[in-house]
C-alpha cells in the first residue's frame, strides 16, 4: 500500500511539473504532463524520489531562491535597497557619485559657476555561502512516505538564509563610535552579572545623534537584541503593550525608528568596539542593538546552484549527496547613519 501511494504521488508530481515546464516553453500543459509521466514510468532501477531529483534539479534550485526571498519578509532586510540587478558573475558593480552639488540660495551672479562631480567605479565581490553535503541513501528513499529530498532542500535553504541574516546585521553595525557612526552604551540599572539595562532614554539619545547628522526619520530602523527586548518588556509597560500587539515583522515605531528584533546581533566589547563576525562573547561583552538608515545600506543576491550526486555513481555507499552554493552580500553604502547601542558593563562587587 505504501508503495502504491508513493507511485501515485510521483505520478501526480510528474503531471504537475510536466504541465508547468510545457507552459513555460509554449506547449499545451497536457502534453507536458503526459510526457513527464511517461518518462517517470521508464524503469531505471532508481527510486522514484531519486529520479525526480535528477529531472527537477533546476526546479529545486528555483524553489530555494524563492525561499531566500520569503525569508526576508517582515525582517530588518525587508525593503532594504536591492542591487541584485547590478551583479554580474557574482560581482557587484556600483558607481560612487562622490559629493553632492552645492546649492545656491537667492543667487544674483550669472553665469552660474560650474562644479564637476567625480564618479568612480566600485566593485564588490559577493560572499559565497555553501552548505555541507547531506547524504540521502537509496534505502531511505525507498522507506519513507514523504519526499525526503524536498525536506533536505528546505533545510539547506533555511540554513543559508539564517547565515545571510547574521552576516548582514553584523555588516550593518558600525565598527566603533565616530561622529558619523554613533555607538552608545546603555544607562539603566546594573544587573548581577554587571550588565546595565537598556532604557528609553538610551534610544532617545541615539535619536538625537542621528538628528544632528541630518539622517531622515523615515527609513530609520532599530534592530533590538534579545537582552534589550527583555529590558524594555520588563521596565516599560507601553513598549510591552506594543510588543504583544504586534503582528507584522516590526514591533512598532519608537521615537522615529521602525523597531525589529533579531536573536543573532553582533557582539560588542565593554569598550564599545564590534567584535569580528562569529566571535564569542567574553566576560562583560554582549550583543548590541543595531540602528541604520535603510537607504544607506544595501543587499545583493547572486547566483544559486544545487549540487547533486546520485547513488548510482556510488556503488559502495549507495547514497545520494546534496548541497547548495549561494552568493549574497549586505553592507552599508556609506559609513554614515549606522549606529549601535551596546550594554554597559561594570565589574560586580563581591
Amino acid at each position: 500500500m505504501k508503495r502504491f501511494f508513493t507511485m501515485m504521488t510521483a505520478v501526480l508530481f510528474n503531471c504537475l511539473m510536466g504541465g508547468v515546464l510545457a507552459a513555460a516553453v509554449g506547449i499545451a500543459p497536457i502534453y507536458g504532463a503526459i510526457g513527464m509521466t511517461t518518462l517517470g514510468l521508464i524503469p531505471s532501477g532508481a527510486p522514484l524520489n531519486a529520479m525526480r531529483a535528477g529531472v527537477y534539479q533546476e526546479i529545486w534550485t528555483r524553489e530555494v531562491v524563492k525561499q531566500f526571498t520569503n525569508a526576508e519578509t517582515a525582517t530588518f532586510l525587508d525593503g532594504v535597497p536591492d542591487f541584485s540587478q547590478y551583479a554580474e558573475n557574482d560581482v557587484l558593480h556600483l558607481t560612487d557619485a562622490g559629493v553632492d552639488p552645492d546649492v545656491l540660495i537667492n543667487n544674483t551672479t550669472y553665469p552660474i559657476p560650474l562644479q564637476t562631480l567625480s564618479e568612480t567605479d566600485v566593485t564588490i565581490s559577493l560572499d559565497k555561502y555553501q552548505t555541507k553535503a547531506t547524504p540521502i541513501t537509496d534505502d531511505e528513499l525507498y522507506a519513507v512516505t514523504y519526499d525526503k529530498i524536498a525536506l533536505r532542500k528546505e533545510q539547506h535553504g533555511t540554513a543559508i538564509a539564517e547565515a545571510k541574516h547574521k552576516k548582514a546585521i553584523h555588516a550593518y553595525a558600525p565598527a566603533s563610535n565616530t561622529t558619523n557612526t554613533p555607538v552608545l552604551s546603555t544607562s539603566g540599572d546594573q544587573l548581577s552579572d554587571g550588565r546595565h539595562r537598556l532604557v528609553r532614554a538610551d534610544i532617545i539619545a541615539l535619536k538625537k545623534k542621528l538628528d544632528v547628522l541630518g539622517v531622515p526619520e523615515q527609513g530609520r530602523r532599530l534592530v533590538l537584541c534579545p537582552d534589550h527586548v527583555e529590558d524594555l518588556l520588563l521596565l516599560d509597560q507601553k513598549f510591552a503593550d506594543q510588543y504583544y500587539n504586534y503582528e507584522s515583522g516590526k514591533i512598532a515605531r519608537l521615537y522615529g525608528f521602525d523597531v525589529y528584533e533579531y536573536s543573532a546581533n553582533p557582539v560588542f566589547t565593554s569598550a564599545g568596539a564590534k567584535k569580528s563576525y562569529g566571535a564569542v562573547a567574553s566576560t562583560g561583552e554582549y550583543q548590541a542593538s543595531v540602528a541604520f538608515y535603510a537607504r544607506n545600506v544595501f543587499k545583493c543576491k547572486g547566483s544559486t546552484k544545487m549540487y547533486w550526486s546520485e547513488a548510482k555513481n556510488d556503488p559502495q555507499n549507495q547514497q545520494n549527496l546534496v548541497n547548495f552554493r549561494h552568493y549574497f552580500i549586505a553592507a552599508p553604502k556609506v559609513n554614515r547613519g549606522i549606529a549601535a547601542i551596546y550594554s554597559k558593563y561594570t565589574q560586580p562587587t563581591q
Side-chain angles (χ1 to χ4, degrees):
M1 181 64 70
K2 181 169 67 175
R3 179 67 174 173
F4 171 76
F5 282 118
T6 301
M7 292 181 64
M8 289 303 298
T9 301
V11 170
L12 291 173
F13 185 91
N14 287 339
C15 288
L16 175 61
M17 290 300 100
V20 171
L21 293 174
V25 297
I27 301 174
I30 185 62
Y31 296 118
I34 294 173
M36 196 61 71
T37 302
T38 302
L39 177 63
L41 293 175
I42 296 174
S44 65
L48 291 174
N49 284 343
M51 182 183 295
R52 291 208 302 268
V55 175
Y56 300 122
Q57 187 168 337
E58 291 186 7
I59 295 177
W60 292 133
T61 303
R62 288 200 296 271
E63 287 297 314
V64 168
V65 172
K66 186 187 300 182
Q67 185 178 348
F68 292 152
T69 302
N70 293 338
E72 294 178 6
T73 302
T75 70
F76 64 88
L77 283 173
D78 195 4
V80 166
D82 191 340
F83 290 172
S84 301
Q85 60 181 317
Y86 303 116
E88 296 180 5
N89 298 321
D90 299 314
V91 175
L92 177 62
H93 296 270
L94 297 177
T95 299
D96 184 355
V99 298
D100 294 330
D102 296 335
V103 177
L104 305 177
I105 300 177
N106 297 328
N107 175 65
T108 59
T109 303
Y110 295 91
I112 294 176
L114 301 177
Q115 181 182 9
T116 302
L117 302 179
S118 60
E119 292 184 354
T120 56
D121 182 56
V122 179
T123 60
I124 303 171
S125 296
L126 276 60
D127 291 326
K128 180 171 63 175
Y129 294 80
Q130 294 169 290
T131 53
K132 292 183 178 180
T134 299
I136 308 171
T137 67
D138 273 359
D139 288 342
E140 290 178 288
L141 294 182
Y142 274 122
V144 298
T145 58
Y146 60 89
D147 195 334
K148 193 159 189 174
I149 298 174
L151 174 62
R152 292 293 181 251
K153 176 265 301 179
E154 184 174 348
Q155 289 176 315
H156 281 252
T158 298
I160 291 178
E162 290 177 354
K164 288 166 55 179
H165 287 194
K166 290 178 183 178
K167 189 75 161 50
I169 196 62
H170 185 274
Y172 288 169
S176 60
N177 182 51
T178 68
T179 300
N180 290 326
T181 61
V183 176
L184 310 181
S185 61
T186 57
S187 60
D189 295 338
Q190 181 183 358
L191 301 176
S192 59
D193 65 350
R195 188 181 73 84
H196 288 256
R197 289 192 184 277
L198 174 77
V199 293
R200 278 197 178 230
D202 301 327
I203 300 176
I204 294 172
L206 181 62
K207 174 189 182 313
K208 183 178 179 181
K209 289 285 187 179
L210 297 183
D211 288 343
V212 171
L213 286 174
V215 176
E217 280 200 16
Q218 193 65 37
R220 293 184 190 180
R221 298 186 177 185
L222 175 62
V223 186
L224 295 171
C225 65
D227 283 339
H228 294 168
V229 170
E230 180 187 46
D231 293 340
L232 292 176
L233 286 175
L234 292 175
L235 300 177
D236 194 312
Q237 185 59 49
K238 183 177 180 181
F239 177 84
D241 292 340
Q242 293 171 329
Y243 182 86
Y244 287 118
N245 287 334
Y246 117 90
E247 295 178 353
S248 64
K250 53 191 177 186
I251 296 170
R253 281 190 65 82
L254 187 63
Y255 301 118
F257 292 99
D258 290 325
V259 182
Y260 297 77
E261 62 175 318
Y262 187 55
S263 61
N265 278 13
V267 174
F268 274 64
T269 68
S270 58
K274 181 175 68 173
K275 300 193 73 171
S276 60
Y277 176 70
V280 179
S282 299
T283 302
E285 299 175 344
Y286 306 93
Q287 286 183 354
S289 293
V290 178
F292 58 90
Y293 175 52
R295 298 200 63 80
N296 280 0
V297 299
F298 72 92
K299 61 185 178 183
C300 179
K301 295 182 287 289
S303 65
T304 302
K305 185 173 182 179
M306 174 183 178
Y307 290 87
W308 172 263
S309 66
E310 295 187 71
K312 68 180 183 181
N313 298 319
D314 184 6
Q316 185 175 17
N317 299 300
Q318 297 179 4
Q319 65 180 10
N320 308 277
L321 293 177
V322 60
N323 69 340
F324 286 84
R325 184 187 69 191
H326 175 67
Y327 286 88
F328 175 84
I329 196 168
K333 287 191 288 186
V334 292
N335 281 320
R336 184 174 180 275
I338 59 175
I341 304 177
Y342 70 97
S343 292
K344 179 182 176 181
Y345 173 77
T346 302
Q347 179 70 39
T349 57
Q350 301 297 327

